[in-house]
Amino acid sequence: MHGSTISEVWHQVIGTQPAAPLTLVLVTGVVTLLVVGYGPVWRVARNAITIAHEGGHALVALLSGRRLTGIRLHSDTSGVTVSVGKPTGPGMVFTGLAGYIAPSLLGLGAAAMVTANRLTALLWLTLLLLLAMLIMIRNAYGVLTVVVTGVALFVISWFTSPTVQAAAAYLITWFLLLGGLRPIFELQTKRARRQAPSSDADQLHRLTGVPGIVWVVVFFLVAAGCLLIGGYWLVPELPSIAGVTG
């Protein structure tokens, strides 16, 4: 888009782009699977999932009438979102529930957008969400993480070819869908070792009386459902490719 007028950029953002070839969709999916599955790379990439996780807490806190006071992102890929309001009730429950399911729900929304060939719109919407979140970040590492992610998205959206932008859009989508699952398994592993007494699941247990493991199962079912639905939207040809017939 470099050198384009504001009007041209706007029409590019709200318009549709050509459908990505199946090869690109599959390759980006495989690359994402490797990123999520390979520990050393995942420990860096997981920061993006933490951004989505804390963003989910923040958004639902605001929607439930709570006052958001700040978000912190840490170098160990943990994070915390602080809001002020009634310490119990539905608002707190939904705020606590939002974190672990936010990446997967965002991935499902992203899958809907790329399936509708709104690839550029997805990149710019992601950038706008990052900018909105940046306002509430309260620590240096969090600012650095969001700024670096946002700059990378801007460079891709503004300076690269449509093919690179399409690849980025599919990588974002696959990463949210696949990356939304792994932290749930990591959460339960820590809970089993009694290393996460203040996890979202345990806070929900204290708020509702429902056992923490039930909340972990809820997180998993939402994330797995989003992956199955979103994956089908992205690759509807997959059953025939695999030789499965109805």
Side-chain angles (χ1 to χ4, degrees), residues 126-192:
T126 304
L127 184 58
L128 288 175
L129 291 173
L130 286 171
L131 289 173
M133 188 172 179
L134 182 61
I135 298 171
M136 298 308 302
I137 298 292
R138 295 293 182 263
N139 67 321
Y141 183 81
V143 170
L144 177 65
T145 302
V146 174
V147 168
V148 168
T149 305
V151 168
L153 273 176
F154 175 76
V155 169
I156 291 169
S157 303
W158 192 259
F159 294 104
T160 65
S161 68
T163 300
V164 174
Q165 292 178 22
Y170 276 94
L171 284 169
I172 290 170
T173 304
W174 280 121
F175 186 70
L176 289 169
L177 291 172
L178 291 166
L181 269 172
R182 180 162 176 173
I184 299 169
F185 290 102
E186 294 172 344
L187 166 66
Q188 185 52 30
T189 298
K190 289 182 179 180
R191 293 186 70 253

Side-chain angles (χ1 to χ4, degrees), residues 47 50 54 71-80 139 141-142 145:
N47 283 286
T50 303
E54 299 305 329
I71 301 169
R72 291 178 177 270
L73 306 174
H74 303 133
S75 58
D76 63 354
T77 71
S78 65
V80 61
N139 67 321
Y141 183 81
T145 302

